[in-house]
Coordinates of all heavy atoms in Angstrom, one line a residue:
M30 N -6.5 22.2 -20.3 CA -5.7 23.4 -20.6 C -5.1 24.0 -19.4 O -4.0 24.5 -19.6 CB -6.7 24.4 -21.2 CG -7.4 24.1 -22.6 SD -6.1 24.0 -23.8 CE -5.8 25.7 -24.2
V31 N -5.6 23.9 -18.3 CA -5.0 24.5 -17.0 C -3.7 23.6 -16.7 O -2.7 24.2 -16.4 CB -6.0 24.4 -15.8 CG1 -5.3 24.8 -14.5 CG2 -7.3 25.2 -16.1
A32 N -3.8 22.3 -16.8 CA -2.6 21.5 -16.5 C -1.5 21.9 -17.6 O -0.3 22.0 -17.1 CB -2.8 20.0 -16.6
L33 N -1.8 22.1 -18.8 CA -0.8 22.4 -19.9 C -0.2 23.9 -19.5 O 1.0 24.1 -19.7 CB -1.4 22.5 -21.2 CG -0.6 22.7 -22.4 CD1 0.6 21.6 -22.3 CD2 -1.3 22.6 -23.8
A34 N -1.2 24.8 -19.1 CA -0.6 26.1 -18.8 C 0.4 26.1 -17.6 O 1.3 26.8 -17.7 CB -1.8 27.0 -18.5
I35 N 0.0 25.3 -16.6 CA 0.9 25.2 -15.5 C 2.2 24.5 -15.9 O 3.2 25.0 -15.3 CB 0.2 24.4 -14.4 CG1 -0.9 25.1 -13.8 CG2 1.2 24.1 -13.2 CD1 -1.8 24.5 -12.8
A36 N 2.2 23.6 -16.7 CA 3.4 22.9 -17.2 C 4.3 23.9 -17.9 O 5.5 23.9 -17.8 CB 3.1 21.7 -18.1
V37 N 3.7 24.6 -18.8 CA 4.5 25.7 -19.5 C 5.1 26.6 -18.6 O 6.3 27.2 -18.7 CB 3.5 26.4 -20.6 CG1 4.2 27.6 -21.2 CG2 3.2 25.3 -21.7
I38 N 4.3 27.2 -17.6 CA 4.8 28.2 -16.7 C 5.9 27.6 -15.9 O 7.0 28.2 -15.7 CB 3.6 28.6 -15.7 CG1 2.6 29.5 -16.5 CG2 4.2 29.5 -14.5 CD1 1.4 29.7 -15.7
M39 N 5.8 26.4 -15.4 CA 6.9 25.8 -14.8 C 8.2 25.5 -15.5 O 9.2 25.6 -15.1 CB 6.4 24.4 -14.0 CG 5.2 24.7 -13.0 SD 4.8 23.3 -12.2 CE 5.8 23.2 -10.8
A40 N 7.9 25.2 -16.9 CA 9.0 25.0 -17.7 C 9.8 26.3 -17.9 O 11.0 26.3 -18.1 CB 8.6 24.4 -19.1
V41 N 9.0 27.4 -18.1 CA 9.7 28.7 -18.2 C 10.5 29.1 -17.2 O 11.6 29.6 -17.2 CB 8.6 29.8 -18.7 CG1 9.2 31.2 -18.5 CG2 8.0 29.5 -20.1
L42 N 9.9 28.8 -15.9 CA 10.6 29.2 -14.6 C 11.9 28.4 -14.6 O 13.0 29.0 -14.1 CB 9.7 28.9 -13.5 CG 8.6 29.9 -13.2 CD1 7.7 29.3 -12.1 CD2 9.2 31.2 -12.9
D43 N 11.8 27.1 -14.9 CA 13.1 26.3 -14.8 C 14.0 26.8 -15.9 O 15.3 26.7 -15.7 CB 12.7 24.8 -15.1 CG 12.2 24.2 -13.7 OD1 12.2 24.9 -12.6 OD2 11.7 23.0 -13.8
A44 N 13.6 27.1 -17.1 CA 14.5 27.5 -18.2 C 15.2 28.8 -17.6 O 16.4 29.0 -18.0 CB 13.7 27.8 -19.4
T45 N 14.4 29.7 -17.1 CA 15.0 31.0 -16.6 C 16.1 30.6 -15.5 O 17.1 31.3 -15.5 CB 13.9 31.9 -16.0 OG1 12.9 32.1 -17.0 CG2 14.5 33.2 -15.6
R46 N 15.8 29.7 -14.7 CA 16.8 29.4 -13.5 C 17.9 28.7 -14.2 O 19.0 28.9 -13.7 CB 16.0 28.5 -12.5 CG 15.1 29.3 -11.6 CD 14.5 28.4 -10.7 NE 13.5 29.1 -9.9 CZ 12.2 28.7 -9.7 NH1 11.9 27.4 -10.2 NH2 11.3 29.4 -9.0
T47 N 17.7 28.0 -15.3 CA 18.9 27.3 -15.8 C 19.8 28.3 -16.6 O 21.0 28.1 -16.4 CB 18.3 26.3 -16.9 OG1 17.6 25.3 -16.3 CG2 19.5 25.7 -17.8
V48 N 19.4 29.3 -17.1 CA 20.0 30.3 -17.9 C 20.8 31.1 -16.8 O 22.1 31.4 -16.9 CB 19.2 31.2 -18.7 CG1 19.9 32.5 -19.2 CG2 18.8 30.5 -19.9
A49 N 20.2 31.5 -15.8 CA 20.8 32.3 -14.7 C 21.9 31.5 -13.9 O 22.9 32.1 -13.6 CB 19.7 32.7 -13.7
A50 N 21.7 30.2 -13.7 CA 22.7 29.5 -13.1 C 23.8 28.8 -13.9 O 24.7 28.2 -13.5 CB 22.0 28.3 -12.3
S51 N 23.6 28.9 -15.2 CA 24.5 28.4 -16.2 C 24.7 26.8 -16.0 O 25.8 26.3 -16.4 CB 25.9 29.0 -16.2 OG 25.7 30.4 -16.5
Q52 N 23.6 26.2 -15.5 CA 23.6 24.8 -15.5 C 22.0 24.4 -15.4 O 21.2 25.2 -15.1 CB 24.4 24.2 -14.2 CG 23.8 24.6 -12.8 CD 24.5 24.1 -11.7 OE1 25.7 23.6 -11.9 NE2 24.0 24.4 -10.5
L53 N 21.8 23.1 -15.6 CA 20.5 22.6 -15.8 C 19.9 22.6 -14.3 O 20.3 22.1 -13.5 CB 20.5 21.2 -16.4 CG 19.1 20.5 -16.5 CD1 18.2 21.3 -17.6 CD2 19.1 19.1 -17.0
V54 N 18.6 23.2 -14.3 CA 17.9 23.4 -13.1 C 16.5 22.8 -13.4 O 15.9 23.3 -14.2 CB 17.7 24.8 -12.6 CG1 16.9 24.9 -11.3 CG2 19.1 25.4 -12.3
M55 N 16.0 21.8 -12.6 CA 14.6 21.2 -12.7 C 14.1 21.1 -11.3 O 14.6 20.4 -10.6 CB 14.7 19.9 -13.5 CG 15.2 19.9 -15.0 SD 14.9 18.6 -15.9 CE 15.4 17.2 -15.1
T56 N 13.2 22.1 -11.1 CA 12.6 22.1 -9.7 C 11.6 20.9 -9.6 O 10.6 20.7 -10.3 CB 11.9 23.4 -9.6 OG1 12.8 24.5 -9.9 CG2 11.4 23.7 -8.2
P57 N 11.8 20.2 -8.5 CA 10.8 19.1 -8.1 C 9.4 19.7 -7.8 O 9.3 20.9 -7.3 CB 11.4 18.4 -6.9 CG 12.8 18.9 -6.9 CD 12.9 20.1 -7.6
L58 N 8.4 19.0 -8.0 CA 7.1 19.5 -7.8 C 6.9 19.8 -6.3 O 6.1 20.8 -6.0 CB 6.0 18.5 -8.3 CG 4.6 18.8 -8.1 CD1 4.2 20.2 -8.8 CD2 3.6 17.7 -8.6
A59 N 7.3 19.0 -5.5 CA 7.3 19.2 -4.0 C 7.8 20.6 -3.6 O 7.2 21.3 -2.8 CB 7.9 18.2 -3.3
T60 N 8.9 21.0 -4.2 CA 9.5 22.3 -3.9 C 8.7 23.4 -4.3 O 8.4 24.4 -3.5 CB 10.9 22.4 -4.6 OG1 11.7 21.3 -4.1 CG2 11.6 23.7 -4.2
S61 N 8.1 23.3 -5.5 CA 7.2 24.3 -6.0 C 5.9 24.4 -5.1 O 5.5 25.4 -4.8 CB 6.8 24.0 -7.4 OG 8.0 24.1 -8.3
W62 N 5.4 23.2 -4.8 CA 4.2 23.2 -3.9 C 4.5 23.9 -2.6 O 3.6 24.5 -2.1 CB 3.6 21.8 -3.9 CG 2.3 21.6 -3.4 CD1 1.5 22.5 -2.8 CD2 1.5 20.4 -3.4 NE1 0.3 22.0 -2.5 CE2 0.2 20.7 -2.8 CE3 1.8 19.1 -4.0 CZ2 -0.8 19.8 -2.7 CZ3 0.7 18.2 -3.7 CH2 -0.5 18.5 -3.1
L63 N 5.6 23.6 -1.9 CA 5.9 24.1 -0.7 C 6.0 25.6 -0.8 O 5.7 26.3 0.2 CB 7.1 23.4 0.0 CG 7.0 22.1 0.5 CD1 8.3 21.4 0.9 CD2 6.2 22.2 1.8
A64 N 6.6 26.1 -1.9 CA 6.7 27.5 -2.1 C 5.4 28.3 -2.2 O 5.2 29.4 -1.7 CB 7.6 27.8 -3.2
V65 N 4.4 27.6 -2.8 CA 3.1 28.2 -3.1 C 2.2 28.0 -1.9 O 1.5 29.0 -1.4 CB 2.5 27.6 -4.4 CG1 1.1 28.2 -4.6 CG2 3.3 28.1 -5.5
S66 N 2.1 26.8 -1.4 CA 1.2 26.6 -0.3 C 1.5 25.4 0.5 O 1.0 24.2 0.3 CB -0.3 26.3 -0.9 OG -1.2 26.1 0.1
P67 N 2.4 25.5 1.5 CA 2.8 24.4 2.3 C 1.7 23.8 3.2 O 1.7 22.6 3.4 CB 3.9 25.1 3.2 CG 3.6 26.6 3.2 CD 3.0 26.8 1.9
E68 N 0.7 24.6 3.6 CA -0.4 24.0 4.3 C -1.2 23.0 3.6 O -1.6 21.8 4.1 CB -1.4 25.1 4.8 CG -0.7 26.2 5.6 CD -0.3 27.3 4.7 OE1 -0.7 27.5 3.5 OE2 0.7 28.0 5.1
T69 N -1.5 23.1 2.3 CA -2.2 22.2 1.4 C -1.4 20.9 1.3 O -1.9 19.8 1.2 CB -2.6 22.8 0.1 OG1 -1.5 23.3 -0.6 CG2 -3.6 23.9 0.3
L70 N -0.1 21.0 1.1 CA 0.7 19.8 0.9 C 0.7 19.0 2.3 O 0.5 17.7 2.2 CB 2.2 20.1 0.6 CG 3.1 19.0 0.5 CD1 2.7 18.1 -0.7 CD2 4.5 19.5 0.1
N71 N 0.6 19.5 3.4 CA 0.6 18.8 4.6 C -0.8 18.2 4.8 O -0.9 17.1 5.3 CB 0.9 19.8 5.8 CG 2.4 20.1 5.8 OD1 3.3 19.4 5.4 ND2 2.7 21.3 6.4
T72 N -1.9 19.0 4.3 CA -3.2 18.5 4.5 C -3.5 17.3 3.6 O -4.1 16.2 4.0 CB -4.1 19.6 4.1 OG1 -4.0 20.8 5.0 CG2 -5.7 19.1 4.2
V73 N -2.9 17.3 2.4 CA -3.1 16.2 1.5 C -2.3 15.0 2.0 O -2.8 13.9 1.9 CB -2.5 16.6 0.0 CG1 -2.4 15.4 -0.9 CG2 -3.5 17.7 -0.6
Q74 N -1.1 15.3 2.5 CA -0.3 14.1 3.1 C -1.1 13.3 4.2 O -1.2 12.2 4.3 CB 1.0 14.6 3.6 CG 1.9 13.5 4.2 CD 3.2 14.0 4.7 OE1 3.5 15.3 4.7 NE2 4.1 13.2 5.1
E75 N -1.6 14.2 5.1 CA -2.4 13.7 6.3 C -3.7 13.0 5.8 O -4.0 11.9 6.2 CB -2.8 14.8 7.2 CG -1.6 15.3 8.0 CD -2.0 16.6 8.8 OE1 -3.2 16.9 8.9 OE2 -1.1 17.3 9.3
F76 N -4.3 13.5 4.8 CA -5.5 12.8 4.2 C -5.2 11.5 3.6 O -5.8 10.5 3.8 CB -6.2 13.7 3.2 CG -7.3 13.1 2.5 CD1 -8.6 13.0 3.1 CD2 -7.2 12.5 1.2 CE1 -9.6 12.5 2.5 CE2 -8.2 11.9 0.5 CZ -9.4 11.8 1.2
V77 N -4.1 11.5 2.7 CA -3.8 10.2 2.1 C -3.3 9.1 3.0 O -3.7 8.0 3.0 CB -2.7 10.5 1.1 CG1 -2.1 9.2 0.5 CG2 -3.2 11.3 -0.1
R78 N -2.5 9.5 4.1 CA -2.1 8.6 4.9 C -3.2 8.0 5.9 O -3.1 6.9 6.3 CB -1.0 9.1 5.9 CG 0.4 9.3 5.1 CD 1.5 9.7 6.0 NE 2.7 9.6 5.3 CZ 3.9 9.9 5.9 NH1 3.9 10.4 7.2 NH2 5.0 9.9 5.2
A79 N -4.2 8.9 6.2 CA -5.3 8.6 7.1 C -6.3 7.8 6.4 O -6.8 6.8 7.0 CB -5.9 9.7 7.9
K80 N -6.7 8.3 5.3 CA -7.9 7.8 4.6 C -7.7 6.7 3.5 O -8.5 5.9 3.3 CB -8.7 8.9 3.9 CG -9.1 10.1 4.9 CD -10.3 9.5 5.7 CE -10.7 10.6 6.6 NZ -11.7 10.3 7.6
I81 N -6.5 6.8 2.8 CA -6.2 5.7 1.8 C -5.4 4.7 2.4 O -5.8 3.7 2.7 CB -5.6 6.5 0.5 CG1 -6.6 7.5 0.0 CG2 -5.2 5.4 -0.5 CD1 -6.2 8.3 -1.0
H82 N -4.0 5.0 2.5 CA -3.0 4.1 3.0 C -1.6 4.8 3.1 O -1.3 5.4 2.2 CB -3.0 2.8 2.2 CG -2.3 1.6 3.0 ND1 -1.0 1.4 3.1 CD2 -2.9 0.7 3.7 CE1 -0.7 0.4 3.8 NE2 -1.9 -0.2 4.1
P83 N -0.9 4.6 4.2 CA 0.3 5.1 4.3 C 1.3 4.8 3.2 O 2.2 5.6 2.6 CB 0.9 4.6 5.6 CG -0.3 4.3 6.5 CD -1.3 3.9 5.4
L84 N 1.2 3.6 2.6 CA 2.1 3.2 1.5 C 1.8 3.8 0.3 O 2.7 3.9 -0.7 CB 2.0 1.6 1.3 CG 2.6 0.8 2.5 CD1 2.4 -0.7 2.2 CD2 4.1 1.0 2.7
V85 N 0.6 4.4 0.1 CA 0.3 5.2 -1.1 C 1.1 6.5 -1.1 O 1.6 7.0 -2.2 CB -1.1 5.4 -1.3 CG1 -1.5 6.3 -2.4 CG2 -1.9 4.0 -1.6
W86 N 1.3 7.0 0.1 CA 2.0 8.3 0.0 C 3.4 8.1 -0.1 O 4.0 8.9 -0.9 CB 1.7 9.0 1.5 CG 2.5 10.4 1.5 CD1 3.7 10.5 2.1 CD2 2.2 11.6 0.9 NE1 4.2 11.8 2.0 CE2 3.2 12.5 1.1 CE3 1.1 12.0 0.2 CZ2 3.2 13.7 0.7 CZ3 1.0 13.3 -0.2 CH2 2.1 14.2 0.0
D87 N 4.0 7.3 0.7 CA 5.5 7.3 0.7 C 6.1 6.7 -0.6 O 6.9 7.5 -1.2 CB 5.9 6.3 1.8 CG 7.3 6.7 2.3 OD1 8.0 7.7 1.8 OD2 8.0 5.9 3.0
P88 N 5.9 5.7 -1.2 CA 6.6 5.4 -2.4 C 6.0 6.0 -3.6 O 6.6 6.4 -4.6 CB 6.6 3.9 -2.5 CG 5.5 3.4 -1.7 CD 5.2 4.3 -0.6
V89 N 4.6 6.1 -3.8 CA 3.9 6.4 -4.9 C 4.0 8.0 -5.1 O 4.5 8.6 -6.0 CB 2.5 6.0 -5.0 CG1 1.8 6.5 -6.2 CG2 2.5 4.4 -4.9
I90 N 3.3 8.6 -4.2 CA 3.1 10.1 -4.2 C 4.4 10.8 -4.0 O 4.7 11.9 -4.7 CB 2.0 10.7 -3.4 CG1 0.7 10.0 -3.8 CG2 1.9 12.2 -3.4 CD1 -0.6 10.4 -2.9
T91 N 5.3 10.4 -3.2 CA 6.5 11.0 -2.9 C 7.3 10.9 -4.2 O 8.0 11.9 -4.6 CB 7.2 10.4 -1.8 OG1 6.4 10.4 -0.6 CG2 8.5 11.0 -1.4
G92 N 7.3 9.7 -4.9 CA 8.0 9.6 -6.1 C 7.6 10.6 -7.2 O 8.3 11.1 -7.9
I93 N 6.3 10.9 -7.3 CA 5.7 11.8 -8.1 C 6.1 13.2 -7.8 O 6.6 14.0 -8.7 CB 4.2 11.6 -8.3 CG1 3.8 10.3 -8.9 CG2 3.6 12.9 -9.1 CD1 2.3 10.1 -8.8
L94 N 6.1 13.5 -6.5 CA 6.5 14.8 -6.0 C 8.0 15.1 -6.2 O 8.4 16.3 -6.3 CB 6.1 15.0 -4.6 CG 4.6 15.1 -4.4 CD1 4.3 15.2 -2.7 CD2 4.0 16.4 -5.0
N95 N 8.8 14.2 -6.5 CA 10.2 14.3 -6.7 C 10.6 14.6 -8.0 O 11.7 15.0 -8.4 CB 11.0 13.2 -6.0 CG 11.1 13.1 -4.6 OD1 11.0 14.2 -3.9 ND2 11.2 12.0 -3.9
Q96 N 9.5 14.4 -9.0 CA 9.8 14.6 -10.4 C 9.6 16.1 -10.7 O 9.0 16.8 -9.9 CB 8.8 13.8 -11.2 CG 8.9 12.4 -11.1 CD 10.3 11.9 -11.4 OE1 10.9 12.0 -12.3 NE2 10.7 11.0 -10.4
P97 N 10.3 16.6 -11.8 CA 10.1 18.0 -12.1 C 8.7 18.4 -12.4 O 7.9 17.5 -13.0 CB 11.0 18.2 -13.4 CG 11.9 17.0 -13.4 CD 11.4 16.0 -12.7
G98 N 8.3 19.6 -11.9 CA 6.8 19.9 -12.0 C 6.3 20.0 -13.4 O 5.2 19.6 -13.7
F99 N 7.2 20.6 -14.3 CA 6.7 20.7 -15.6 C 6.4 19.4 -16.3 O 5.5 19.2 -17.2 CB 7.6 21.6 -16.5 CG 8.9 21.0 -16.9 CD1 9.1 20.2 -18.1 CD2 10.0 21.1 -16.1 CE1 10.2 19.6 -18.4 CE2 11.2 20.4 -16.4 CZ 11.4 19.7 -17.6
I100 N 7.3 18.3 -16.0 CA 7.0 16.9 -16.5 C 5.7 16.4 -16.0 O 5.0 15.9 -16.7 CB 8.1 16.1 -16.3 CG1 9.4 16.5 -17.0 CG2 7.9 14.6 -16.5 CD1 10.6 15.8 -16.7
V101 N 5.5 16.5 -14.6 CA 4.3 15.9 -14.1 C 3.1 16.6 -14.7 O 2.0 15.9 -15.0 CB 4.3 16.2 -12.6 CG1 3.0 15.8 -11.9 CG2 5.5 15.5 -11.9
F102 N 3.0 17.9 -14.7 CA 1.8 18.6 -15.3 C 1.7 18.4 -16.9 O 0.6 18.4 -17.4 CB 1.8 20.0 -15.0 CG 1.3 20.4 -13.6 CD1 2.1 20.5 -12.5 CD2 -0.1 20.4 -13.5 CE1 1.7 20.9 -11.3 CE2 -0.7 20.6 -12.1 CZ 0.3 20.9 -11.1
G103 N 2.9 18.2 -17.6 CA 2.7 17.8 -18.9 C 2.2 16.5 -19.2 O 1.3 16.4 -20.1
V104 N 2.6 15.5 -18.3 CA 2.0 14.1 -18.5 C 0.5 14.2 -18.1 O -0.4 13.7 -18.9 CB 2.8 13.2 -17.6 CG1 2.0 11.9 -17.5 CG2 4.2 13.0 -18.2
L105 N 0.2 14.9 -17.1 CA -1.2 15.1 -16.7 C -2.0 15.8 -17.8 O -3.2 15.3 -18.2 CB -1.3 15.9 -15.4 CG -2.8 16.2 -14.8 CD1 -3.4 14.9 -14.6 CD2 -2.8 17.1 -13.8
A106 N -1.5 16.8 -18.4 CA -2.2 17.4 -19.6 C -2.4 16.4 -20.7 O -3.5 16.4 -21.3 CB -1.5 18.6 -20.0
F107 N -1.4 15.7 -21.0 CA -1.6 14.7 -22.2 C -2.6 13.6 -21.9 O -3.4 13.3 -22.6 CB -0.2 14.0 -22.4 CG -0.2 12.8 -23.4 CD1 -0.5 13.2 -24.7 CD2 -0.2 11.5 -23.0 CE1 -0.6 12.2 -25.6 CE2 -0.4 10.6 -23.9 CZ -0.6 10.9 -25.3
L108 N -2.6 13.1 -20.5 CA -3.6 12.2 -20.1 C -5.0 12.6 -20.2 O -5.9 11.9 -20.7 CB -3.2 11.5 -18.8 CG -2.0 10.6 -18.6 CD1 -1.7 10.4 -17.3 CD2 -2.1 9.4 -19.4
L109 N -5.1 13.8 -19.8 CA -6.4 14.4 -19.8 C -7.0 14.7 -21.3 O -8.1 14.5 -21.5 CB -6.5 15.8 -19.0 CG -6.5 15.6 -17.4 CD1 -6.3 17.1 -16.9 CD2 -7.6 14.8 -16.9
Y110 N -6.1 15.0 -22.1 CA -6.4 15.3 -23.5 C -6.7 13.9 -24.2 O -7.7 13.8 -24.9 CB -5.2 15.8 -24.3 CG -5.3 15.7 -25.8 CD1 -6.1 16.6 -26.4 CD2 -4.7 14.8 -26.5 CE1 -6.3 16.5 -27.8 CE2 -4.8 14.7 -27.9 CZ -5.6 15.6 -28.5 OH -5.9 15.6 -29.8
A111 N -6.0 12.9 -23.9 CA -6.3 11.6 -24.4 C -7.6 11.0 -23.9 O -8.4 10.4 -24.6 CB -5.1 10.5 -24.0
I112 N -7.9 11.3 -22.5 CA -9.3 10.9 -22.1 C -10.4 11.6 -22.7 O -11.5 11.0 -23.0 CB -9.3 11.1 -20.6 CG1 -8.4 10.0 -19.9 CG2 -10.7 10.9 -20.1 CD1 -8.2 10.2 -18.4
G113 N -10.3 12.8 -23.0 CA -11.3 13.7 -23.5 C -11.4 13.8 -25.0 O -12.3 14.3 -25.6
R114 N -10.4 13.2 -25.8 CA -10.4 13.3 -27.1 C -11.5 12.4 -27.7 O -11.7 11.4 -27.3 CB -9.1 12.9 -27.7 CG -9.0 12.7 -29.2 CD -7.5 12.5 -29.5 NE -7.5 12.4 -31.0 CZ -7.6 11.1 -31.6 NH1 -7.7 10.1 -31.0 NH2 -7.6 11.2 -32.9
K115 N -12.3 12.9 -28.7 CA -13.3 12.2 -29.4 C -12.7 11.2 -30.4 O -11.8 11.7 -31.2 CB -14.2 13.1 -30.1 CG -15.2 13.9 -29.1 CD -16.1 14.7 -29.9 CE -17.0 15.6 -28.9 NZ -17.8 16.4 -29.7
P116 N -13.1 10.1 -30.5 CA -12.5 9.1 -31.6 C -13.0 9.6 -33.0 O -14.0 10.2 -33.0 CB -12.9 7.8 -31.3 CG -14.2 8.0 -30.3 CD -14.0 9.4 -29.6
P117 N -12.3 9.4 -34.0 CA -12.6 9.7 -35.4 C -14.0 9.0 -35.8 O -14.0 7.8 -35.4 CB -11.5 9.5 -36.3 CG -10.7 8.5 -35.5 CD -10.9 8.8 -34.0
R118 N -14.8 9.7 -36.5 CA -16.0 9.0 -37.0 C -15.7 7.9 -38.2 O -14.8 8.3 -39.0 CB -17.0 9.9 -37.6 CG -17.6 10.9 -36.6 CD -18.7 11.7 -37.2 NE -18.2 12.4 -38.5 CZ -19.0 12.6 -39.4 NH1 -20.3 12.4 -39.4 NH2 -18.5 13.1 -40.7
R119 N -16.3 6.9 -38.2 CA -16.0 5.9 -39.2 C -17.3 5.7 -40.1 O -18.4 5.7 -39.6 CB -15.7 4.5 -38.6 CG -14.4 4.4 -37.9 CD -14.1 3.0 -37.5 NE -12.8 2.9 -36.9 CZ -11.7 2.6 -37.6 NH1 -11.8 2.2 -38.8 NH2 -10.5 2.5 -37.0
I120 N -17.1 5.8 -41.3 CA -18.1 5.7 -42.3 C -17.7 4.4 -43.1 O -16.8 4.4 -43.9 CB -18.3 6.9 -43.3 CG1 -18.5 8.1 -42.4 CG2 -19.4 6.6 -44.2 CD1 -18.6 9.4 -43.2
G121 N -18.4 3.3 -42.8 CA -18.0 2.0 -43.4 C -16.6 1.7 -43.1 O -16.2 1.5 -41.9
R122 N -15.8 1.5 -44.1 CA -14.4 1.2 -43.8 C -13.4 2.4 -43.7 O -12.2 2.3 -43.5 CB -13.8 0.1 -44.8 CG -14.6 -1.1 -44.8 CD -14.0 -2.1 -45.8 NE -14.0 -1.6 -47.2 CZ -13.4 -2.3 -48.2 NH1 -12.7 -3.3 -48.0 NH2 -13.4 -1.6 -49.4
F123 N -14.0 3.6 -43.9 CA -13.1 4.7 -44.1 C -13.4 5.7 -42.9 O -14.5 5.6 -42.2 CB -13.5 5.5 -45.4 CG -13.4 4.7 -46.6 CD1 -14.5 4.2 -47.2 CD2 -12.1 4.4 -47.1 CE1 -14.4 3.4 -48.4 CE2 -12.0 3.7 -48.2 CZ -13.1 3.1 -48.9
I124 N -12.4 6.5 -42.6 CA -12.5 7.5 -41.5 C -12.7 8.8 -42.1 O -12.1 9.3 -43.0 CB -11.2 7.5 -40.7 CG1 -10.9 6.2 -40.0 CG2 -11.2 8.6 -39.6 CD1 -9.6 5.9 -39.2
A125 N -13.8 9.4 -41.6 CA -14.2 10.8 -42.0 C -13.3 11.8 -41.5 O -13.2 11.9 -40.2 CB -15.7 11.0 -41.7
E126 N -12.8 12.7 -42.3 CA -12.0 13.8 -41.7 C -12.9 14.9 -41.4 O -13.8 15.3 -42.1 CB -11.0 14.3 -42.9 CG -9.9 13.2 -43.2 CD -8.9 13.1 -42.2 OE1 -8.6 14.1 -41.5 OE2 -8.4 12.0 -42.1
S127 N -12.7 15.6 -40.3 CA -13.5 16.8 -39.9 C -12.7 17.9 -39.6 O -11.6 18.0 -39.5 CB -14.4 16.4 -38.6 OG -13.7 15.6 -37.8

């Protein structure tokens, strides 16, 4: 729910900027993160490069950070929903509706 709420907030901010600028505006996640907390972005970058591998940061995480924030959090919300969703109960050959 938190990821979905953040996605909606970021989408509303981009929609507001789009209307104000009269052109499509999609803010990258890195720009939003730098505006909110630049220290944590630098800390995460140093951690990933030192503890995991420098190649994980540069092509992988940088690519994610260059995507619009509402899309990243929307995909994250969907993945978390899919992981946490309970499969439907099966009774014999039929699926029970609940």
